[in-house]
Amino acid sequence: MDFTKQMDDHLFMLIENTKFFKQMADALGDCDENGEIKRFLEESVRKRLQMGEKVVKIEQEHKNTCKAMDQAKGESASTEELLRKVDQLKQAAAKKSSNVKNKAKYKYFKREMESSAGRADGNAPTSDGDCSMSEVVQTGGDVFSLHDPWSMALMKDPVRNRMCGHIYDSGSVNAMIKDNLSIRCPVSGCANEHFIQPSHLVQDIEAQEKLRRHLSEQKFEVTSDSDDSDSD
């Protein structure tokens, strides 16, 4: 299985577990006179956020290692030189991406966790800069992530569900509903009770343009990083 897919599955499982605990807490709310269940839910969310941060960090380190290996192969004449070069490149990459909380995937994960736990501010910007315009953009007055709610990967072909306005990657949503027409919008807190139908999905030109600009900015940043590394 693809490593990134495995990490995405771990994050998805953490979110789904939080939804389950929230449902249990709601069902037992009348018995929670001392607020013990509520405190347990809050503590479990805190621990899952820490676990999610570690998962995203591991994925980033894996990407840094693969990138360093690919680059070092063409620049090393011996195994010793290869290992030394890989280590140098990994350290340089780690410095540039040290704050996992600034990553789009973690921001999306955090919002979904807080929303699943029923926090009032689950969809609101936080002090960590969750609504960085390069990763979470606005369209039609709504805030949405450039990452697909099912795969958590960066979208390739965003489409909008005209029944609720939420946006998914075309490949992900069509794969989900291909053999199952009992799929509802996966975005936490969505009030749309209609099962997703192919006719509900429409291309969102504005979202596609936002995605195109975001990818262009990422490409520019990668090029800039490479130039900086070459000058070291």
Side-chain angles (χ1 to χ4, degrees), residues 145-171:
S145 172
L146 288 173
H147 289 70
D148 176 71
W150 276 290
S151 68
M152 292 188 185
L154 192 67
M155 295 187 198
K156 296 180 180 179
D157 181 20
V159 293
R160 180 181 292 273
N161 185 340
R162 60 184 179 84
M163 304 301 292
C164 60
H166 289 125
I167 297 176
Y168 330 116
D169 181 74
S170 176

Side-chain angles (χ1 to χ4, degrees), residues 1 11-12 25 29 46 61 72 79 86-87 100 120-121 144 146 152-153 162 168 182 188 209 218 232:
M1 181 183 291
L11 294 177
F12 181 74
R46 185 184 67 80
E61 291 175 347
T79 302
V86 168
D87 187 55
V100 172
D121 61 346
F144 75 96
L146 288 173
M152 292 188 185
R162 60 184 179 84
Y168 330 116
S182 299
S188 296
E209 176 60 21
Q218 277 194 326
D232 293 339

